[in-house]
Amino acid sequence: MGHDKASELLPGTLDLLVLKAVARGRMHGYGIAQHLKTVSGDVLQVGESSLYPALQRLLLNGWVEAEWGASENNRRARYYTLTAAGRKQLAAERKEFDRMIFAIQKVLEV
Amino acid sequence: MKMLRRLRYWLRHRRIEAELAEEIEFHRSLLPPQEAARAMGNSTRMREESRAVWIWPWLESVWQDAAYAIRNLRRQPGFTLVALLALASAIGVNTSLFTVFNALALRPWPVKDPGRMVNIFRRERADIAGFSLPEYRYFAAHSKTFAGMIAMRSGQNLKVDEQRTGCSWVSGNFFSVLGVQMQHGRGFRPDEDLLDSPQAVVVLRYPLWRDRFGSDPGIVGKQIRLEGVPFTVVGVTSEEFTGTSPERVDLWIPFAAAPLLQPHESWVKDLLRNPDDCCSNVSGRLAPGIAREQARAEIAVLSRQFRSEVRQENNEILLTGTAFFNSRRRR
């Protein structure tokens, strides 16, 4: 069903996208998935099976922090925020990503 | 930092996984119905992948380290061989040393209920010392905290058929108080250790009986010559009984029989009768329900009484377990 387009992203790209999403302010997992989907015009449909491992990875590296809070519909939800280290990581990954895209385009143009 | 977070995960993984499950449930509650149904199937995989994020890289790095070590070792076979030999011999030496040490020093005596046997010492200035036999007999006659008290003393090596053999003088109740199993015959009877009627009797240790007497099943009642003096064998101890002293003892003789072996030696008379003599080892089997401290207190009182009668300085009394290490340790 081609369910998980995000898993076909370049390796590491999902982490970058999640970091970028969280950089806008604290968000829960569902909100992050929705955000990626909307902003990408429905191209990036990140399933929970890749989103939550990615969030665990970011937690482990100390790039995001999680805390429980009340959601819009008044349920308990886990909210993620970017840490200072996460902000630095986001900048570094962004730079690396741009470099990679630039390189790929160069190869394709030859 | 990463290590700490990982550690925290290890310590609290149940809680963390429960939180993840709750988080997912929340996520699904927001999905349109058909998407939620589709997502269900993936939940186990998702949970495993989430867990793997915390655990897997660590396992992987351990494996990488091991693989790297093995590659290096293989590249330097000489070094590996030397290292292996060093390790192997160090481990081997340690193991055998401990075996010997354990046999000699840590294990209590190989007797019945060894935990109830204690060695009794006195402290004479800085030294740990034994007792004269008269003092031992005073204890044995008056003590109520011991089910039985024994005395023993290493003798000099005796010639048995021209071969020097380790011997120990013991009180007549030695084998019965210890509860030593006999291979043949019996231990001494109390009436074989009376100063006024010495009996020429001997008990052999199993290895002596096996090696020197060819495991003769009819040995009990036979006479053997110790320094040329005929003694009657009354028993052979079982193979398990290795003795009560660190030095090798192969035969036991009642104290009272000492004059039969050395009738003209004045030290023999001192050994048996002089309260100024020192240093026979005294041990006892605690009476049921008696704690060591109670027994020590009683012996301290008896010792003070005895010593004031014979005008000796009073000494502190110590009780220890019967493992060699206990007996030599200063408290």
Side-chain angles (χ1 to χ4, degrees), chain A:
Chain A
M1 63 198 157
H3 56 95
D4 217 352
K5 297 241 171 59
S7 65
E8 291 158 29
L9 291 168
L10 285 171
T13 317
L14 177 59
D15 292 14
L16 169 63
L17 297 180
V18 172
L19 282 176
K20 176 66 187 170
V22 175
R24 296 169 63 248
R26 68 179 214 149
M27 297 179 93
H28 49 61
Y30 180 79
I32 295 169
Q34 282 304 302
H35 172 77
L36 295 181
K37 188 177 166 197
T38 323
V39 172
S40 69
D42 284 1
V43 174
L44 300 175
Q45 300 199 20
V46 182
E48 56 188 49
S49 60
S50 33
L51 176 62
Y52 287 96
L55 283 168
Q56 300 287 310
R57 205 152 48 229
L58 300 180
L59 279 173
L60 170 64
N61 286 303
W63 296 331
V64 298
E65 279 169 353
E67 57 176 354
W68 290 92
S71 71
E72 306 85 342
N73 62 356
N74 238 348
R75 289 190 48 173
R76 228 161 81 89
R78 189 135 73 145
Y79 285 93
Y80 295 87
T81 46
L82 201 65
T83 62
R87 200 167 297 283
K88 232 186 258 173
Q89 178 67 15
L90 173 59
E93 279 193 28
R94 170 106 200 229
K95 212 165 138 196
E96 181 59 25
F97 181 78
D98 288 344
R99 209 170 64 91
M100 190 59 72
I101 291 298
F102 181 67
I104 291 171
Q105 276 175 345
K106 270 174 101 174
V107 171
L108 293 179
E109 279 162 14
V110 174

Side-chain angles (χ1 to χ4, degrees), chain A residues 48 51-56 59 68 76 78 80, chain B residues 9 13-28 43-52 54:
Chain A
E48 56 188 49
L51 176 62
Y52 287 96
L55 283 168
Q56 300 287 310
L59 279 173
W68 290 92
R76 228 161 81 89
R78 189 135 73 145
Y80 295 87
Chain B
Y9 177 84
H13 69 277
R14 264 172 221 282
R15 164 123 183 256
I16 291 175
E17 279 171 27
E19 284 185 338
L20 184 65
E22 185 181 347
E23 194 175 11
I24 302 296
E25 204 202 315
F26 170 76
H27 186 114
R28 285 190 188 148
S43 78
T44 311
R45 199 184 113 206
M46 187 278 308
R47 228 179 279 164
E48 271 171 14
E49 280 178 21
S50 298
R51 193 181 307 146
W54 297 90

